[in-house]
Amino acid sequence: MSKQTFFSGVQPSGNLHIGNYFGAIKNWVDIQEEYNAICCVVNLHAITVPQNPEELNQKTIEVAKLYIAAGLDPAKVTIFRQSDIPQHTELMWLLNTITKTGELFKMTQFKDKSGIQNSEDNTKISIGAGLLNYPILMAADILLYDANLVPVGEDQTQHIEITRTLARRFNKKFSKEEDVFTIPNIYTSPAGKKIMALDNPLKKMSKSAEAVNSRIEILDEPEVIKKKIMKATTDSENKIYYSDKPEKAGLRNLLNIFSIITDATPEQIAENYQDKGYGDLKKDLAEAMVSYLQPIQDKFNSISDEEILNIFIQSKSTLLPQTQAKITQVKKVMGLE
Ligand code: TYM
């Protein structure tokens, strides 16, 4: 039986952090053998907000390096640059014509990034159309490859939902004997699906947050990692236990992170530290995190830009026949070819 396909991607905007790693990339690594794995660097999504062209180009290479450093095997997994495959934007236009604007305006990410919730603030009114149409491009990414599974963090749930809606709508409207698009499923990992910001555990860790102390970046120096963890917001109770209580959100986040890198449950870790203070827990977590990230950083530093550019060239020629065939199928049923 042929393998099912998973598709996922990361935007080359800002520095990747442990939320991106535990929420997404680590899961790709874990399932890469079982699936036909397609891992994209979504540079066309990144330009929905202003980017410096040279930095964008370099970050795109950096993200691909991190995929490999994290354990994706380029001999088995297709790692590519979104802008190399024109069928992503072509399919996006076609899907655009069956998407309702109301569906786009209600997306949480759009509201957050555009500041539209804050409609009295006139300074935030100039919003690029790309930001609004962002989920359609994401749907095109996934549907172009007939992906069965999309391993992502919890924040992407709404985007996968709209992808499913568009696929169903298209199938209903245009499919003849067999469905044109496969309906994809989301995959999120229980512990890593939502890593919270270190300085504010009620917000998710984010590449774009201004406070660098809010996130541990995958390429952070050991001393920086230690400082950030020691500074992480907890609570004044100074008692270690794993709980859903809102005031324990900071501690809970640290225990969750500790649990992912040690393979013990957060409850077990809490038990081990029940007679100790937050400082002890943070110190040990910081050390464990430094050792955990070290091999990824070493591997990252051993990969040249040229290696990545060669992978991009190779992937482009592997993917193009497949994506061209899919677009032909879509255009035929729409009466465009
Ligand atoms: P992006 O670049 O914002 O994030 C990349 C991945 O990291 C996950 N993630 C997190 N997971 C857990 N905790 C966090 N704090 C955290 N922050 C980010 C995200 O959920 C994501 O999986 N729209 C996507 C990129 C994209 C895509 C796609 C993904 C474009 N096309 C097609 C899958 C399939 C995004 O902005 O990811």
Side-chain angles (χ1 to χ4, degrees):
M1 232 177 65
S2 65
K3 287 181 179 175
Q4 291 209 327
T5 296
F6 90 67
F7 182 98
S8 200
V10 173
Q11 294 188 64
S13 53
N15 296 335
L16 267 58
H17 52 75
I18 57 167
N20 302 125
Y21 177 66
F22 295 139
I25 303 169
K26 181 174 183 293
N27 298 326
W28 312 348
V29 173
D30 291 346
I31 61 173
Q32 64 180 323
E33 301 284 342
E34 293 155 59
Y35 284 82
N36 166 34
I38 309 183
C39 301
C40 184
V41 185
V42 290
N43 54 357
L44 297 174
H45 277 105
I47 58 169
T48 54
V49 294
Q51 301 290 344
N52 169 307
E54 285 81 33
E55 268 174 35
L56 177 66
N57 202 12
Q58 199 51 45
K59 281 271 169 234
T60 303
I61 295 172
E62 187 176 294
V63 171
K65 278 189 194 175
L66 278 171
Y67 286 178
I68 297 170
L72 287 177
D73 177 353
K76 294 183 185 146
V77 173
T78 309
I79 295 172
F80 78 106
R81 188 163 55 180
Q82 191 182 26
S83 58
D84 279 336
I85 307 290
Q87 287 74 25
H88 286 249
T89 40
E90 191 171 3
L91 182 57
M92 183 204 167
W93 178 258
L94 302 175
L95 293 173
N96 203 23
T97 62
I98 62 156
T99 308
K100 299 167 190 181
T101 50
E103 287 170 325
L104 301 173
F105 278 115
K106 73 174 188 202
M107 289 286 133
T108 310
Q109 178 180 285
F110 174 70
K111 289 190 204 161
D112 285 352
K113 287 203 181 170
S114 63
I116 210 158
Q117 271 165 330
N118 188 0
S119 56
E120 278 151 38
D121 182 350
N122 290 330
T123 58
K124 289 188 177 165
I125 275 173
S126 170
I127 300 153
L131 205 54
L132 182 67
N133 290 321
Y134 181 113
I136 314 179
L137 180 59
M138 185 156 158
D141 295 342
I142 297 166
L143 301 180
L144 190 58
Y145 300 93
D146 283 312
N148 306 91
L149 198 72
V150 190
V152 280
E154 193 179 63
D155 61 321
Q156 297 300 315
T157 308
Q158 234 186 357
H159 290 155
I160 311 301
E161 275 310 317
I162 193 174
T163 302
R164 290 163 60 87
T165 302
L166 294 180
R168 286 207 196 91
R169 188 175 299 155
F170 188 97
N171 284 345
K172 190 154 176 242
K173 211 168 153 73
F174 296 109
S175 294
K176 303 229 163 67
E177 293 89 50
E178 59 178 300
D179 282 346
V180 173
F181 292 124
T182 302
I183 312 294
N185 288 312
I186 186 169
Y187 173 74
T188 56
S189 73
K193 67 183 175 197
K194 195 168 189 190
I195 303 293
M196 308 310 282
L198 296 181
D199 61 338
N200 178 358
L202 302 178
K203 276 198 191 157
K204 72 165 181 143
M205 189 176 283
S206 149
K207 285 187 224 124
S208 54
E210 264 177 44
V212 286
N213 277 337
S214 65
R215 58 180 170 263
I216 296 171
E217 296 177 1
I218 302 176
L219 298 177
D220 269 345
E221 300 276 338
E223 282 317 307
V224 175
I225 296 174
K226 286 182 188 161
K227 248 193 218 149
K228 287 180 178 175
I229 293 182
M230 293 313 290
K231 273 197 179 165
T233 302
T234 42
D235 56 86
S236 53
E237 193 185 12
N238 206 16
K239 205 159 183 276
I240 297 181
Y241 59 99
Y242 191 69
S243 155
D244 278 349
K245 287 197 229 165
E247 61 272 27
K248 287 301 203 187
L251 178 65
R252 189 166 65 240
N253 190 39
L254 295 180
L255 288 168
N256 281 338
I257 295 171
F258 213 161
S259 132
I260 301 172
I261 62 179
T262 55
D263 282 336
T265 67
E267 289 85 356
Q268 280 164 347
I269 298 169
E271 217 181 296
N272 293 344
Y273 284 88
Q274 61 183 343
D275 300 322
K276 296 185 179 158
Y278 292 164
D280 302 307
L281 175 82
K282 286 177 171 176
K283 199 166 155 282
D284 292 351
L285 171 59
E287 263 163 35
M289 183 61 73
V290 167
S291 323
Y292 188 89
L293 292 178
Q294 194 65 59
I296 299 178
Q297 298 184 350
D298 291 346
K299 174 88 188 173
F300 175 91
N301 290 324
S302 75
I303 306 169
S304 69
D305 288 8
E306 209 184 6
E307 263 175 83
I308 298 297
L309 293 173
N310 283 334
I311 289 175
F312 286 159
I313 293 171
Q314 176 62 45
S315 299
K316 184 175 173 176
S317 63
T318 314
L319 291 175
L320 272 179
Q322 176 187 348
T323 56
Q324 279 161 344
K326 191 74 201 174
I327 285 292
T328 301
Q329 185 193 7
V330 174
K331 284 168 87 177
K332 272 195 180 140
V333 297
M334 291 182 88
L336 296 167
E337 201 172 301

